[in-house]
Amino acid sequence: LHFIVPMTSLSEEVLLVVKKVRQKKQDGTLYLMAERIAWGPEGKDRFTVSHLYADIRCQKISPDGKAKVQLQLVLHTGESTTFHFANESTALKDREAAKELLQQLLPKFKKKANKELEEKNRMLQEDPVLFQLYKDLVVSQVISAEEFWANRLGGINNTDPSPYNNKQEVGISGAFLADIRPQTDGCNGLRYNLTADIIESIFRTYPAVKQKYSENVPHNLTEKEFWTRFFQSHYFHRDRINTGTQDIFSECAKQDEKGLKTLVTQGVKNPLVDLQSLEDKTLDEGYGICTTQPSTSNANKSVKDSSNSAIIKRFNHHSAMVLAAGSRRGELASDQASETSSTDGNSRDSDFFQPPVKKVKLQEAIEFEDLQRENRPKTVPLNLKKSDRYAHGPVPLQSQQYTTSQDIINSVNYIRHEMASYKPSLTQVLSSTAATSAIAALSPGGVLMQGGAQQAINQMVPTEVQGELKHLYVAAGELLRHFWSCFPVNTLFLEEKVIKMKSNLERFQMTKLHPFKEKIQRQYLSTNLTGHLEEMLQTAYSKFQVWQTRRMMRKT
Amino acid sequence: MKLNIEGLLVYFPYDYIYPEQYSYMLELKRTLDAKGHGVLEMPSGTGKTISLLSLIVAYQRAFPLEVTKLIYCSRTVPEIEKVVEELRKLMEFYTKETGESNNFLALALSSRKNLCIHPEILHANIVVYSYHYLLDPKIADLVSKELAKKSVVVFDEAHNIDNVCIDSMSVNITRRTLDRCQTNVDTLQNTIHKIKETDAAKLREEYRRLVEGLKEANVARETDIYLANPVLPDEILQEAVPGSIRTAEHFVGFMRRFLEYLKSRLRVQHVVQESAPQFLKDIFEKVCIDRKPLRFCAERLQSLLRTLEIADIADFSAVTLISNFATLVSTYSQGFTIIIEPFEDRTPTIANPVLHFSCMDPSIAIKPVFQRFQSVVITSGTLSPLDIYPRILDFRPVTMASFTMTLARTCLCPLIVGRGNDQVALSSKFETREDFAVIRNYGNLLLEMSAIVPDGIVAFFTSYVYMENIVASWYEQGILENIQRNKLIFIETQDAAETSMALEKYQEACENGRGAILLSVARGKVSEGIDFVHHYGRAVIMFGVPYVYTQSRILKARLEYLRDQFQIRENDFLTFDAMRHAAQCVGRAIRGKTDYGLMIFADKRYARADKRGKLPRWIQEHINDGSLNLTVDEAVQLSKHFLRQMAQPFRQEDQLGLSLLTLEQLESEEMLQKITQIAHQT
């Protein structure tokens, strides 16, 4: 099913050419170009294999020491292509070269492709009907994946992406660094296992690292090198004694330090936790007893002491960052709120006006809620006679809104008042004939009351057939939607499309509808279940017919 | 509601009342009636402050001639501000009930920056300020000297009052102090020279005044106008300032000599400890300075500074310090010790000589307060054992009572964890404090608790160094990482600003549901000043028994003094001191009857009667025999059970009639009977 693509045009830059590469037991040459990878059989001037990098999900290589040196490309669609490097002397080297280059190229395209792919994936996961449709139409190859997504993704990009954003933000585990404990690999090395989640946690918690990442990867460092350096850096091992190496993360450490300092100097919002203003500065210098003797000067602090205090600082910082990362989104709003509320407290006369935060905190601190009579609206205490009944959820008959007697009295009064002041507006009533016919239509046996037939089908057809029919309806609807969306056919593209859609419809009828029809016939379900579907298809065909004859006429 | 407390009409600004509040007011009124002093211990979160304010304000209104003023002292600025808020609430209630705006004047001083309030203090009905305004002679002289004798003084949160007293009377002198003092003296000399040329009359006037002596002060003291200054001894009031320091120049010369002597004393190679008389003997032998002029130093300097019209006294803090020292050392032959240390114990290579002039007798600073004011009430959530305070502060109370917390549900759960799951005894005692197994088990305890306790956990260590070591060790062992899976970790540091931030983040993490652990230090600022109400502290873990650092020479001297003077055994005092701090720590979590929390004492020594017996009654009575020597696992099981129970809805109706009363319920015969049992007299 591979497309036959013409040999590389001149505009395309060839980055790497590897000869003696076998594909499907055929010798050939592998080309890595700016946007795609391609392979052509020996002696032919065209490619039989060509994949855009964006379509490639990942590459896999055969383990070292295996007889065949292979490289496999796995596409997003799930298909894969395997290349066998057959040049005996340089096979391994060839493969490495191709692999390295791909390693650098793929991530560039990945982002773009990924985003789309993720989006598609998400849509399929979240919408079971769509997923079924995808299975019915794409997997069974009625239409191609591109056709399927053609006007869906467009819709996605245009419509409000709010359902996506409404997803709950997930915080970061405080222990995410613990999850990347190194394991020794047995030969003097350390292995760190990084997952996408951990990387995201690191980025969200330490924006400075993220910045370094986007600055350096991939132009200066590969992803792997970046993380290797990260784990080797003093930054990661800040509590250890600094080895003094100049690495790219030293700046991060400085930034963190600075951030921490500004946080500290900003002070705290809640005056009740401000330890600095806790005491009414009591003793002057020189007075008092110093029972404990904390030597605060750095000079006489031992190495161990400073390392210990570095650990403590780091934990505080880490926790603060994790906390901030988790609440970053909500923070903005609340920050603004608190700022606006505190501005009016900036009065100079501190005796009479305390900052609202302080006032509120003080009020909270002295409040004895249980000593006060409750001022909340009276609630009715839940008195459960059978608690299991409560646990099983409300029974429809018993579900009723509770109304207090006051409410009821109010309502009665209100209705009474309404009735007293009721004035019929006779100009706007229905004419008596219309009213009578409406009543007749809605009475048993009336025109609008003949819904019995459908129930008969419901009972006559087994549920699995019903389900199948439903799928068919959805699939047919989808195809017809594509078909009808081509009209009016006013561009060349639409012309091509409408022809393709018509053949899609026919294929659908052949591969899906007919087998189903035969099946229900075999089961002696005489009812014409597919009649309506066929009718819809027929309408489409005749429309197509009309359009085609017209076109022919125009052409001739 | 309006209460009848033994015939006194008390306006109480709430709809309901706790039985213990009623009982507390009863005891308080008896204290005021007897015009004596009282020691009252009432659990935190039972509305102690509002009870105090309600009763005393009512008393003032009923007997305006008997009690003219309430002086309410608390420790921290937030505490003071809370008192003011409660007072405001009470006043609003008065206005609402009586329909007239009352003319009560209340005054709060919460910063020493606003010291110029002297006349207002005299007229206020209620003054709220920090302990130091009354106990520190340097401030008391400025602020509180003229407060009326018929005042009621309340020391709230008074469990550390002895240390405040001692601090206010102790002086430390370093080389830097002496250098700055030298500069001060030089400046004084220059100023005197200048004034001599321009305004010699001024100096002559001062000289005349000094010949007259301090008669003025003496008259005041005899006629009972002033609060006595403990630095200013009675005897010198009757005498004139000695001739040797009467002229300004002579005095400056005298100070120079004294300064030189102190410098020579700091040039020591080994630790020196001596009493005040020994010091005086030495100074007389070496530089011929007599005791008498020394005693006048503080007053003489003040007079000189006034005469020279020096505005910024802060610049002269060093010379003031030295002159205060001179007066104190020559006045008190007992109750003080002098220790000169050439270097810090931890860094014997770096010379950093310090002369500690340490007060060992808290009664010296507080004596004038007890003597002057008719009623002094010492109260706190943790004052156990009650009888020790009258002993170390040297006064005779008319009432001493400890109140329990009446509870509709047992909302506190003290557990003593004495063993790890591997049966290793848990203790912070010196011999095992480096023990790997103990540290690991402590870590395990915290880890297990972090998994079952919702929201906030606060853990206290016995000292900062101990905490640092344990944290480092837990880090090495990966325990902290595992804890991080459950909660965020915040740690107190020695930097107040940093710790404040950590605290706020801790609260934020408790608030948003993530949950957090705060590692902190007993005797630190957090343990003394921050409350962890409701979800901010569902469990407090006290790792070890927070004994004071016993190797300190000053402490040793104080212990000796306590033994000799008050017959308090060293161990009794140390245990008392450790237990009051432990009680302070664990008490941080329970701030009311609707609150709940675990109190985990992680040291097997807490199980002993001599330790346990020194906890406040309201904690003690919930420690049963089953929770005395638990393993970590057992503690976890009990905690789970407790937390599950506490998580059930708790409504006002559940409390009513038991731990919360309406006026009618309060007035029932049966309830009044019950209330008499709440106060535990000693």
Side-chain angles (χ1 to χ4, degrees), chain B residues 98 145 284 296 397 416 457 489 504:
Chain B
T98 59
K145 199 153 88 171
F284 184 72
F296 284 87
I416 297 173
I457 300 178
I489 299 174
E504 191 168 62

Side-chain angles (χ1 to χ4, degrees), chain B residues 429-626:
Chain B
K429 68 178 180 202
F430 188 73
E431 299 80 51
T432 59
R433 84 170 24 179
E434 307 269 307
D435 190 340
F436 194 73
V438 173
I439 295 178
R440 193 192 55 232
N441 274 310
Y442 271 160
N444 194 33
L445 173 64
L446 185 61
L447 174 61
E448 298 275 337
M449 283 300 160
S450 73
I452 61 154
V453 177
D455 303 318
I457 300 178
V458 192
F460 288 101
F461 294 83
T462 55
S463 75
Y464 194 79
V465 179
Y466 186 53
M467 178 175 80
E468 256 191 353
N469 287 336
I470 286 200
V471 165
S473 179
W474 284 350
Y475 174 69
E476 297 292 333
Q477 295 169 39
I479 292 173
L480 286 183
E481 282 173 356
N482 287 326
I483 292 172
Q484 277 182 316
R485 288 180 210 279
N486 302 326
K487 289 183 191 300
L488 293 178
I489 299 174
F490 294 96
I491 307 171
E492 179 175 1
T493 71
Q494 284 173 320
D495 179 309
E498 244 175 72
T499 308
S500 304
M501 194 200 72
L503 249 175
E504 191 168 62
K505 297 281 173 197
Y506 166 82
Q507 292 199 340
E508 196 184 321
C510 295
E511 189 73 32
N512 74 11
R514 189 183 254 280
I517 289 177
L518 183 72
L519 303 182
S520 187
V521 176
R523 298 165 189 279
K525 282 191 169 168
V526 173
S527 72
E528 287 286 327
I530 306 295
D531 290 342
F532 297 97
V533 292
H534 294 294
H535 58 294
Y536 293 131
R538 284 299 179 214
V540 177
I541 306 176
M542 182 71 237
F543 288 113
V545 182
Y547 280 110
V548 68
Y549 173 66
T550 48
Q551 298 308 302
S552 143
R553 290 185 187 84
I554 298 171
L555 180 74
K556 281 179 179 162
R558 187 176 170 197
L559 291 174
E560 258 169 52
Y561 185 83
L562 284 170
R563 192 188 56 209
D564 297 345
Q565 295 297 315
F566 300 112
Q567 286 76 49
I568 297 172
R569 281 183 303 162
E570 292 176 19
N571 265 334
D572 281 349
F573 182 79
L574 287 175
T575 308
F576 148 74
D577 183 62
M579 294 312 284
R580 68 171 158 179
H581 281 104
Q584 265 303 303
C585 291
V586 296
R588 295 280 126 196
I590 307 284
R591 298 275 129 175
K593 297 183 176 190
T594 52
D595 201 353
Y596 64 89
L598 291 156
M599 300 174 163
I600 297 173
F601 297 92
D603 194 308
K604 65 166 188 181
R605 290 174 290 174
Y606 284 110
R608 291 191 207 149
D610 69 313
K611 306 278 184 308
R612 206 162 22 114
K614 290 191 172 69
L615 285 171
R617 195 159 77 103
W618 60 276
I619 297 179
Q620 233 186 93
E621 63 190 5
H622 294 290
I623 303 178
N624 46 37
D625 290 344

